[in-house]
Amino acid sequence: MGVSYTPGSNRTLLSMDTMVRLGRAVRTVDVRRLAVPEGMTAPLGCDAVSAPARLGPLVLPRLPRVGCVFADETTWWWMVPSDSDYALDWPAPVRYATGAVVEDSPAVPGLIHKPDGTVPYTPPIPLYLTLCRLTGTSPSWSRPISA
């Protein structure tokens, strides 16, 4: 099976195998993703929350539990369970990274904190509330609703 074309035109006929192969080639992008450290499991999947490095040291002492934290010179990332952005508007300049993909980083950042145990997660609600406080943002559920 191939793509139909008008006879006599200069178009090339592509088979279904060729189109599938081309589609897969397009998706093979260099993806930088935070890795779950060896010996740990991520039963709920992994996403990440990033914040400017200046906020990182202010966040850590305010959390009841700190999971895996990664950092480079400009940004810190906290590993959270997948879908931790559900019904939450993370405050700017914080960014939510689905799949723990760190697109804006020139390289995969280094692990700076690994918790005891086998679960890599920072609890997302305390992290969210801490980042809201540090950025001067009201949590999404406490904002007034307009009629």
Side-chain angles (χ1 to χ4, degrees):
M1 180 176 168
V3 174
S4 64
Y5 70 99
T6 308
S9 70
N10 290 331
R11 296 183 186 169
T12 303
L13 178 66
L14 299 177
S15 71
M16 184 61 78
D17 290 337
T18 302
M19 291 189 301
V20 169
R21 201 169 37 254
L22 288 172
R24 287 183 181 149
V26 170
R27 282 183 248 141
T28 57
V29 179
D30 179 27
V31 176
R32 287 177 298 285
R33 182 181 315 268
L34 300 177
V36 176
E38 191 172 321
M40 300 190 99
T41 60
L44 302 175
C46 281
D47 289 346
V49 174
S50 71
R54 64 182 167 75
L55 295 177
L58 302 173
V59 170
L60 293 180
R62 290 178 162 94
L63 295 174
R65 179 187 189 284
V66 179
C68 289
V69 181
F70 298 81
D72 63 19
E73 294 175 0
T74 62
T75 310
W76 285 33
W77 289 264
W78 288 264
M79 200 169 267
V80 295
S82 291
D83 300 324
S84 293
D85 61 336
Y86 181 75
L88 294 178
D89 294 324
W90 290 84
V94 174
R95 295 195 45 215
Y96 190 85
T98 303
V101 174
V102 290
E103 303 173 334
D104 298 337
S105 181
V108 176
L111 180 67
I112 62 168
H113 181 270
K114 180 180 173 187
D116 295 332
T118 61
V119 180
Y121 307 126
T122 295
I125 299 300
L127 178 60
Y128 173 77
L129 291 171
T130 299
L131 289 167
C132 282
R133 173 161 290 214
L134 292 173
T135 59
T137 306
S138 297
S140 56
W141 57 76
S142 67
R143 295 181 196 142
I145 299 173
S146 60

